[in-house]
Amino acid sequence: MSKADPGQVEPLPQESTPSMIASRVREAIASGQIAPGSQLGEAAYASQLGVSRGPLREGLQRLTQEGLLISIRNRGLFVIEMTPENVADMYLAREAVERTAAAQVHRLDAGSAAVDLLGITADMARAAHARDTAAFTDADIAFHRTLVDAAQSPRLHRIHETLLTETRMCIHALAATYTVPETRVGEHEAIARSFAEGDPAITDRLIVAHMQDAVERLSGTTTATGTIG
């Protein structure tokens, strides 16, 4: 019996150890397990992760290139702090990425994106009604990730993932005051419906307003409500 022709089957990707380390530490930063401003000691983290210092350094270097860690000469690596200036700059970058992604989605398949995004806004509405902060946050992040991924651009995706990590850092920092007002559901739903309507100008305007609103709400630590989108 002859062997079957394997054809054009793609090999399974194998994630490198430095990549896995970067993913693990990135998630710990996003979730607040590693606090903003914390120093990352190589010996301690190599021991905790069960890896040697070489792959650890390479993994942490990736996070430094992403801007999540900063290297201070003669002191070491530190997690960035989400100062008002950093928050404003992060949302400026998110606005640029999501506006570009939205324009591309309109050129590709706005209808399918609208269906996916409206499905997520339904999840957001249920979470808001139940006052389930964790579920609301997960749906909020999923909405913006889905929007950018619909543009089918690996580079936009990579940039956006770092920005979403910083967004989650903001949410965690404001956990004590984080709320899930149903008005935020309406903002996301309007963006989703603009894809169904096929009007790029409306989508663009809504995204700009959405990002600017988030920055304004986060401009003061004593008045911020945590309504991050």
Side-chain angles (χ1 to χ4, degrees):
M1 183 180 293
S2 61
K3 293 183 179 179
D5 184 354
Q8 299 298 316
V9 177
E10 295 280 339
L12 292 173
Q14 293 186 339
E15 190 174 14
S16 67
T17 298
S19 178
M20 289 188 287
I21 291 170
S23 296
R24 185 74 59 85
V25 176
R26 186 187 297 108
E27 177 59 28
I29 291 172
S31 65
Q33 291 178 301
I34 303 177
S38 297
Q39 183 174 9
L40 274 66
E42 281 189 8
Y45 277 92
S47 175
Q48 185 176 343
L49 294 170
V51 298
S52 62
R53 292 198 185 189
L56 178 70
R57 288 194 190 103
E58 186 175 341
L60 297 182
Q61 179 59 32
R62 296 185 185 195
L63 300 184
T64 302
Q65 293 171 345
E66 292 176 14
L68 295 175
L69 301 178
I70 57 172
S71 178
I72 301 179
R73 188 171 182 179
N74 299 325
R75 292 187 61 195
L77 288 175
F78 295 81
V79 179
I80 62 166
E81 296 189 66
M82 296 311 293
T83 62
E85 292 78 15
N86 278 341
V87 171
D89 190 54
M90 181 265 288
Y91 272 96
L92 178 66
R94 268 192 64 183
E95 180 182 311
V97 170
E98 295 193 24
R99 290 175 73 186
T100 300
Q104 178 68 356
V105 171
H106 274 287
R107 288 190 287 266
L108 294 174
D109 190 352
S112 294
V115 171
D116 292 340
L117 293 173
L118 286 170
I120 296 172
T121 60
D123 294 336
M124 293 180 71
R126 285 189 288 271
H129 181 73
R131 314 309 295 170
D132 187 337
T133 301
F136 186 90
T137 299
D138 289 345
D140 191 338
I141 295 296
F143 181 95
H144 293 279
R145 178 177 284 125
T146 299
L147 190 162
V148 172
D149 285 354
Q152 302 178 27
S153 168
R155 287 170 177 80
L156 285 179
H157 169 83
R158 287 199 299 270
I159 297 168
H160 196 243
E161 283 301 303
T162 298
L163 298 171
L164 288 184
T165 297
E166 294 179 322
T167 300
R168 292 174 62 197
M169 290 172 67
C170 291
I171 292 174
H172 181 80
L174 293 167
T177 55
Y178 188 77
T179 59
V180 289
E182 294 185 7
T183 55
R184 300 295 283 179
V185 178
E187 288 185 21
H188 289 82
E189 185 175 351
I191 293 171
R193 291 195 180 283
S194 71
F195 285 108
E197 294 164 1
D199 191 331
I202 292 178
T203 304
D204 189 69
R205 185 169 68 249
L206 290 171
I207 290 173
V208 171
H210 187 61
M211 296 298 171
Q212 291 179 347
D213 179 61
V215 173
E216 290 172 4
R217 290 172 183 273
L218 288 166
S219 60
T221 56
T222 58
T223 59
T225 61
T227 48
I228 304 170

